[in-house]
Amino acid sequence: MGEELQVPDEVVVPTPVEVRNAGDLWDVLREAVTQLGAGFVAWLPLLLLAILVLVLALIATRYAIRGVERGLRRARVDDTVQRLVTTLLRVALVIGSTLLALSIAGISVGAALAGLGLAGLALAFALQNILENFVAGLLILIRRPFHRGDQIISGDFEGTVEDVDLRVTRIVDYDGELVLVPNATVFTEPLINLTRRGRRRTRVTLGIDYRDDHDAAGRILREATAAVEGVLASPAPEALVTALGESSVDFEIRYWTDPDIRTVRHTQDRVLRACKTAIEGAGMTIPWPIRTLAPDKDALSVRRPERETLGE
C-alpha cells in the first residue's frame, strides 16, 4: 500500500473575536487603531526618506532639463524638436523618480508597473485616435518634411506652418485664420511644401492678335518679364506659344520668384501689367473674344405658298 497521509495532531484555527456589547466593540476598534498607528510610526521614516528623495530627484530633473535645453539651443536644433526632446525627457525622469521613491517607501514597484501596464493598455484602446496623432507627430518631427514658417498645402488646407505639437499641426491660412490639422492627416495625405526649395515658378497666359508678329511678341514678353521687380534672373523667363485660341495666339509666360505667397502674388501683378504695357507700346493688340455670325440665307428666306388658280 502507498504511504499514509499524515494529519497533524492539532490544528489551531483562529477564533473570531466575539463582540457581545458596545464595550467589546470599542476594545476591538482601539486595538485596530493602535496596530495601525504602530505600523504607520514604523513606516514613517521610510515615507519621509522617500519624499525627500522624490523632491531632490524632481529638483535634479529641473536642472537637467535646463541643461539639455541650453545644449540643444547651442546646437541650433529646431524649436519644435527641442520641445519634443525636453517633454519626453521630463516625463521619463519624473516617472523614474516616482518609482524610485515608491521603492524606498516599501511599495512593490513591480505591482505598480503591472498596474500602469494594464492602465496603459486600456488607454491605448480608448484613445486610439489621439495615440495615432501622437505617433504621427513624432514621425513628422523626425522626418522634418517642413519647418516652422514654411508654406504648405495639406489636403484642402494651405498656409504657413505656425507650430507642430504631438497632436496637431497649426497652419495659419492666407486670410489669417488658424487651422488645426491632425498630425495623422498631415502624415498620411499628400503634402506640398511651397517654400522648401527656395524659389517657385509662376505661369500666366496672354493672348496676342493673329495679325501681329508673334516672334517679336515672344521677345517683347520675355524682356518685359525679366525687367520686373521680383522676377529671378536664373532660370530666365520664358514666353511660349501654348495654344491657338478662337481669337488669339496664346502665350504662356513662365518665370521664377521667391517662394512666399506675398512675393508670388505681387510679382504676378507686376508681370501682367508690364506685359500689357509692352505689347500695347509695340503697337500690338491683346484681342477680346470675337464672334462672327453668318446668317443662313436659305433658312431666312420665306417661301410663300402658291395660290391656287380656281377655274370659273
Side-chain angles (χ1 to χ4, degrees), residues 178-233:
L178 178 62
V179 182
L180 304 180
V181 185
N183 287 332
T185 302
V186 177
F187 186 75
T188 56
E189 291 190 357
L191 175 71
I192 302 176
N193 192 326
L194 301 173
T195 56
R196 172 61 65 87
R197 300 297 299 275
R199 60 186 181 184
R200 185 175 173 184
R201 188 174 74 174
T202 303
R203 294 175 292 183
V204 295
T205 301
L206 193 67
I208 305 298
D209 194 285
Y210 271 97
R211 292 164 292 186
D212 291 329
D213 186 346
H214 302 116
D215 293 334
R219 184 181 66 257
I220 291 172
L221 291 174
R222 286 192 297 270
E223 293 175 353
T225 303
V228 171
E229 177 187 358
V231 175
L232 300 180

Side-chain angles (χ1 to χ4, degrees), residues 91-219:
V91 171
L93 291 177
V94 169
I95 292 177
S97 302
T98 304
L99 293 177
L100 177 61
L102 292 175
S103 177
I104 293 175
I107 300 175
S108 176
V109 177
L113 290 176
L116 288 176
L118 293 176
L121 183 61
L123 286 175
F125 284 105
L127 306 176
Q128 182 177 0
N129 291 335
I130 295 178
L131 291 177
E132 182 182 7
N133 289 322
F134 175 80
V135 174
L138 289 178
L139 294 175
I140 290 174
L141 293 174
I142 292 172
R143 295 182 58 186
R144 307 303 298 161
F146 50 80
H147 297 85
R148 180 186 296 181
D150 284 353
Q151 292 177 349
I152 66 172
I153 299 176
S154 177
D156 297 331
F157 305 104
E158 179 178 354
T160 304
V161 177
E162 183 181 68
D163 193 14
V164 181
D165 58 29
L166 296 180
R167 192 180 68 86
V168 297
T169 298
R170 300 173 180 269
I171 299 176
V172 178
D173 66 13
Y174 302 139
D175 294 329
E177 298 175 343
L178 178 62
V179 182
L180 304 180
V181 185
N183 287 332
T185 302
V186 177
F187 186 75
T188 56
E189 291 190 357
L191 175 71
I192 302 176
N193 192 326
L194 301 173
T195 56
R196 172 61 65 87
R197 300 297 299 275
R199 60 186 181 184
R200 185 175 173 184
R201 188 174 74 174
T202 303
R203 294 175 292 183
V204 295
T205 301
L206 193 67
I208 305 298
D209 194 285
Y210 271 97
R211 292 164 292 186
D212 291 329
D213 186 346
H214 302 116
D215 293 334
R219 184 181 66 257

Side-chain angles (χ1 to χ4, degrees), residues 64-91 137-138 140-142 144 147-148 163-166:
I65 294 298
R66 288 182 179 179
V68 171
E69 289 176 345
R70 287 195 296 269
L72 293 175
R73 282 196 296 268
R74 284 196 296 267
R76 296 185 179 181
V77 178
D78 185 78
D79 293 341
T80 306
V81 178
Q82 290 184 29
R83 289 196 301 273
L84 171 64
V85 172
T86 54
T87 300
L88 295 179
L89 182 60
R90 182 181 292 106
V91 171
L138 289 178
I140 290 174
L141 293 174
I142 292 172
R144 307 303 298 161
H147 297 85
R148 180 186 296 181
D163 193 14
V164 181
D165 58 29
L166 296 180

Side-chain angles (χ1 to χ4, degrees), residues 243-258:
L244 300 177
E246 295 181 355
S247 56
S248 65
V249 176
D250 296 333
F251 281 83
E252 184 178 81
I253 306 166
R254 305 174 181 178
Y255 59 92
W256 294 79
T257 65
D258 291 338

Side-chain angles (χ1 to χ4, degrees), residues 222-304:
R222 286 192 297 270
E223 293 175 353
T225 303
V228 171
E229 177 187 358
V231 175
L232 300 180
S234 179
E238 298 177 309
L240 306 176
V241 175
T242 56
L244 300 177
E246 295 181 355
S247 56
S248 65
V249 176
D250 296 333
F251 281 83
E252 184 178 81
I253 306 166
R254 305 174 181 178
Y255 59 92
W256 294 79
T257 65
D258 291 338
D260 62 282
I261 190 66
R262 179 179 178 82
T263 299
V264 170
R265 293 290 181 260
H266 283 254
T267 305
Q268 178 178 334
D269 173 75
R270 290 191 292 268
V271 166
L272 289 173
R273 292 171 182 268
C275 290
K276 178 179 181 298
T277 301
I279 289 297
E280 292 176 348
M284 300 182 184
T285 305
I286 301 175
W288 51 82
I290 299 174
R291 297 290 184 271
T292 302
L293 302 179
D296 188 344
K297 297 180 179 180
D298 294 335
L300 293 177
S301 62
V302 179
R303 300 181 62 184
R304 298 179 180 179

